[in-house]
Amino acid sequence: MTETLTGAPTVRAPAAAPTLTGPGLLTVLLAAALPLVDFFIVNVALPAIGADLHASEAVLELVVAGYGVTYAVLLVLGGRLGDLFGRRRLFIAGMAAFGVTSLACGLAPGAWSLVAARAAQGASAALMLPQVLATIQATTTGGRRARAMSLYGATAGLSMVIGQILGGVLVAADIAGTGWRSIFLVNVPVVVLGLVLAVRRVPDTRSRHPEPVDVPGTVLLAVALLALLAPLTEGRATGWPLWTWLSLAVFPVATWAFYAVERRADRLGRTPLLPPSLFAAPSLRRGLLIIVPFSLGFSGFMFVIALSLQQGAGLGPVAAGLALAPMAVSFLLVSLAGPRLIARFGTRVVATGSVLQGIGVLLIALAVWRDWPQLGLGTLLPGAAVAGAGQALQLPNLMRIVLAAEVPSARAGVGSGVLTTTQQASLALGVATLGALFLSLIPHLGMRDALLVALVTQLGAILVTGLLSLRLPREVG
């Protein structure tokens, strides 16, 4: 309230809510793509990394797992810090750190320095990515939010496939003699562009009532995730030593302690790291449950097929990457129609996607059984295209369903952190479990039959995804 020269009181208009423009949305979607591309881009480069750095299989698994574990462990904390200090600030800091750590990966002189740089890269991604969804939630409403969420989901799914294709192309191109290092160095100019756009186009948002960081919850969540992911990613390669079994035994205890601490904080009116009350929203709870088997099967498939095409079918990195190009093309085309299909048919579109993905994986398994080892773009095209279409009907729509307006904007950072943590932990688990199964079966069954077993296992995950999707609320907010 202020006064004019005549003494009459005037009311100051409230500040307009920040709005995410088209260029701003493009900027945050670029940031969303970077961490997922880098999760998958190393799959086809692992043989080249191992040969150049004389790295053992266990160390190569750490190159993948070090990134995935730190990424998953710190995601919820990254979302909370964005709520507390401002999402734009954390977004810019995380993106800058991602560029620096990508440079460190590209210049790593040895295998262990690469592992350390990858872990730091995962931590920087955990600061950046939660701000993407939180910014979208806090700056959009109605139809604009629905479109932005659908584009985010499409970007996430497409990035996973593109990462593997891009990795093969960059390794084979050997730009300026950089070899596998170019898969990390290519991030640097992209990050510079992203920072310029972020400073100009990304609005600043934060929670109106920020809470301090939940230190006990953060520590217990980190312990629980590390206790599960570390032994599963390193156990097979190291021969399952005693520490792996002790770590797995710690996991349920740490998980129970984390839930008890968070529930107590929630009941006392505080804002825990992961509020149990957040799961009262049916779409959030059920959507997260579906994302777990979907991500498990997807990441495991991408890891297994990359090794099979190179080490079993004898394809080079470019041919191995391009063999999955039909999956990326069909994913892109079908995901563009996702919002219209959801508006017309509701969440049954997700179940239909599971059916299509299952048919695609069956076609891939048939090609492996019939044509091994003469696999390539032509033999895998039908299955990859159908599977990509099915994935496009699932992932973008699941992302939208999970955060469909039931998460208040004040908790946008928490909600996005929960979603991305669930997805990332599941991606890491997929590589660890399906990858370990595949690699352990090769000495006994041969690579073709080991791959067939892995594909049948993925079909089980797809079946679970489809059945769970039948319990989704029919309409999407």
Side-chain angles (χ1 to χ4, degrees):
M1 186 83 74
T2 60
E3 291 188 359
T4 66
L5 292 176
T6 59
T10 60
V11 179
R12 181 176 298 169
T19 302
L20 189 65
T21 61
L25 178 60
L26 177 64
T27 304
V28 296
L29 291 180
L30 175 67
L34 279 173
L36 287 169
V37 166
D38 267 57
F39 184 89
F40 288 92
I41 202 169
V42 299
N43 283 348
V44 293
L46 286 176
I49 294 173
D52 186 37
L53 300 182
H54 309 289
S56 67
E57 187 179 293
V59 175
L60 286 178
E61 288 194 7
L62 277 176
V63 171
V64 178
Y67 177 86
V69 170
T70 55
Y71 188 12
V73 165
L74 297 175
L75 271 166
V76 176
L77 177 61
R80 171 59 61 83
L81 291 175
D83 286 349
L84 189 62
F85 296 110
R87 293 159 191 145
R88 181 173 176 269
R89 179 184 298 177
L90 266 291
F91 178 82
I92 291 173
M95 180 175 277
F98 192 85
V100 171
T101 52
S102 295
L103 182 63
C105 289
L107 300 178
W112 285 106
S113 59
L114 177 59
V115 170
R118 281 284 282 173
Q121 190 187 33
S124 64
L127 286 181
M128 176 175 63
L129 189 65
Q131 319 316 326
V132 174
L133 276 173
T135 298
I136 290 173
Q137 280 189 278
T139 59
T140 59
T141 57
R144 292 185 69 248
R145 176 182 290 183
R147 286 190 294 273
M149 288 294 185
S150 297
L151 285 172
Y152 173 86
T155 300
L158 194 59
S159 299
M160 298 177 192
V161 184
I162 291 296
Q164 205 136 306
I165 297 171
L166 183 62
V169 171
L170 289 174
V171 170
D174 193 20
I175 302 169
T178 54
W180 60 266
R181 298 177 185 274
S182 62
I183 68 174
F184 301 115
L185 296 176
V186 73
N187 291 335
V188 177
V190 177
V191 165
V192 171
L193 173 62
L195 288 172
V196 172
L197 290 172
V199 169
R200 297 181 177 182
R201 299 295 185 179
V202 176
D204 190 20
T205 64
R206 67 183 69 202
S207 174
R208 293 182 180 179
H209 306 288
E211 296 280 346
V213 172
D214 174 14
V215 176
T218 300
V219 172
L220 286 170
L221 178 63
V223 170
L225 289 174
L226 283 171
L228 177 65
L229 294 175
L232 287 180
T233 52
E234 283 297 294
R236 189 201 60 82
T238 55
W240 296 102
L242 179 61
W243 73 264
T244 59
W245 299 107
L246 293 176
S247 182
L248 288 173
V250 167
F251 169 67
V253 177
T255 301
W256 177 86
F258 171 72
Y259 176 73
V261 167
E262 299 299 275
R263 184 177 60 178
R264 182 174 184 274
D266 213 11
R267 287 177 174 174
L268 293 176
R270 304 171 190 156
T271 303
L273 184 72
L274 203 165
S277 59
L278 202 65
F279 294 91
S283 64
L284 177 73
R285 185 175 64 251
R286 295 171 186 173
L288 288 175
L289 193 61
I290 299 170
I291 283 175
V292 172
F294 176 87
S295 299
L296 275 167
F298 184 82
S299 64
F301 166 80
M302 297 296 282
F303 178 76
V304 164
I305 202 70
L307 290 181
S308 299
L309 292 177
Q310 289 191 85
Q311 298 182 0
L315 299 181
V318 173
L322 291 180
L324 298 176
M327 183 178 290
V329 173
S330 65
F331 188 102
L332 175 62
L333 296 176
V334 174
S335 63
L336 294 175
R340 293 193 298 274
L341 293 172
I342 279 283
R344 182 172 181 181
F345 301 107
T347 58
R348 293 297 179 261
V349 169
V350 178
T352 303
S354 298
V355 174
L356 279 178
Q357 187 188 6
I359 293 172
V361 171
L362 278 173
L363 290 173
I364 292 172
L366 178 61
V368 171
W369 177 76
R370 183 188 58 206
D371 299 320
W372 182 268
Q374 281 76 42
L375 297 179
L377 176 60
T379 53
L380 295 179
L381 189 151
V386 175
Q391 291 157 0
L393 292 179
Q394 294 174 86
L395 185 60
N397 295 319
L398 283 172
M399 294 283 192
R400 178 181 165 189
I401 289 165
V402 168
L403 295 172
E406 292 182 88
V407 178
S409 59
R411 283 186 168 180
V414 180
S416 63
V418 171
L419 170 60
T420 48
T421 297
T422 302
Q423 183 190 27
Q424 185 59 39
S426 301
L427 290 174
L429 273 175
V431 173
T433 53
L434 199 58
L437 172 67
F438 170 70
L439 292 171
S440 64
L441 290 176
I442 290 175
H444 308 288
L445 302 179
M447 188 165 289
R448 187 197 77 157
D449 290 348
L451 176 57
L452 288 173
V453 172
L455 291 174
V456 170
T457 304
Q458 191 200 359
L459 282 172
I462 293 170
L463 176 62
V464 172
T465 302
L467 292 175
L468 289 174
S469 67
L470 296 176
R471 299 191 69 244
L472 286 170
R474 186 63 186 267
E475 302 298 325
V476 182

